[in-house]
Amino acid sequence: NDTSAQRPASVLKVLTAAAALSVLGPTYQITTSVDAGSPPGTIALVGQGDATLSSVSHSVYAGAPTLATLASKAVAAYNLNPANAGVPISHVVLDSTYWDPNDNWDTSVPRTEQTGGYLSESTALLVDGDRQNPAAQVSPRSTDPVTAAGNAFVQALKAADPTITTVSLTTGAAENGAAVLATVQSQPVSTLVKQMLTQSDNTLAEMLARIVSVKQNLGGTGGSIQQSTMTALGKYGLDTSGLTIEDGSGESDESLITPLFMSKFMSLVSTKALGLQYLAAGIPAVGKYYAKGGVMVSAYTLSGYTTAADGTGESFTFFAEGPGITSAAQPALAALANAAYTCGKNITNY
């Protein structure tokens, strides 16, 4: 059934990574800024989709920018303005309008993924991937990541300036043409892609997919991910007809990919051409092969490549899908991948 489109689960993240590298490039960094506001005492925290922005010094995202750095820079710049003399920061506008703040969840994904700690809402402003525990990959997420980010930022502001006591929060947009007081930037996309793949991070995948859409002037909407990702994948020269890309993470049952396409794409990844060396760096090594796996209810997936025992380059994709499929599929898929290594050219000469 190699041409039958099936649920890829987290294998889809490989395509999200490729889209990000195609459109954003490996050196692109996501900026979070603090803008001046009016009247004095007001500033705006402006997000552009950096899920890694952190409230702590060591989170699940190594090397992530921190709210402490952003707040310290913002306070210093705010206090340099004579118009703000004697007026401490007392109000923060939370700006998550990089895309529609209300378009933040794919209804084909169960909300249990949020409460169970696997996926946050996709808002352009959030901190630590909206985890309750910033150091845990799987950690329950809130129902209001924008306000949670604002509360964390207020704590950072108070730590940076003891004269700041009471700070109110509102959601909205920063003033047009407002001066930028401070910025921090994420790790480059080459690093984010690696983190997303090695940790199978759903939130980071969804945020990258939204940013790719914004950069293609498609608004960052959930409904635009199909078009934006397919367009981005055009760089790699493969036939994408028949693919349905509902989301960036593979959490949706409505994303459908053919095993044949994934094998062809993994063959291309193995060449590390067209910038795909950054993607290859995030594909986990498992014994004698490199592969990305995925898990959903009644679906276990594995796609990767190997240099076989006889020196033959082989790519492979195995999807175990349907009623009755359980976790027993995982060792079976691994056995198939190991067999690809053992058999080498005997597979293609069958």
Side-chain angles (χ1 to χ4, degrees), residues 204-272:
L204 191 47
E206 296 298 341
M207 302 301 270
L208 287 172
R210 298 288 188 126
I211 296 168
V212 166
S213 168
V214 171
K215 293 301 183 182
Q216 291 183 319
N217 298 314
L218 295 173
T221 65
S224 70
I225 290 176
Q226 164 86 7
Q227 181 182 348
S228 63
T229 305
M230 297 278 271
T231 300
L233 293 177
K235 169 183 178 179
Y236 304 105
L238 298 177
D239 180 8
T240 58
S241 61
L243 309 186
T244 301
I245 301 178
E246 172 71 15
D247 62 341
S249 63
E251 288 284 278
S252 172
D253 278 337
E254 295 181 7
S255 285
L256 302 170
I257 308 294
T258 66
L260 179 60
F261 177 85
M262 279 310 309
S263 283
K264 288 182 176 180
F265 193 80
M266 280 299 196
S267 181
L268 188 60
V269 171
S270 73
T271 70
K272 301 179 183 178

Side-chain angles (χ1 to χ4, degrees), residues 285-304:
V286 186
K288 300 293 187 180
Y289 60 88
Y290 297 86
K292 181 74 185 81
V295 176
M296 299 180 77
V297 175
S298 71
Y300 290 80
T301 61
L302 189 69
S303 185

Side-chain angles (χ1 to χ4, degrees), residues 32-36 43-46 70-71 74 153 157 179-184:
T32 305
S33 64
V34 175
D35 291 3
I43 59 174
L45 176 63
V46 184
L70 184 61
F153 184 58
L157 288 172
V180 177
L181 299 177
T183 63
V184 291

Side-chain angles (χ1 to χ4, degrees), residues 154-177:
V154 167
Q155 295 306 309
L157 288 172
K158 291 179 177 178
D161 184 351
T163 68
I164 298 173
T165 55
T166 301
V167 182
S168 60
L169 300 174
T170 57
T171 57
E175 296 177 8
N176 287 332

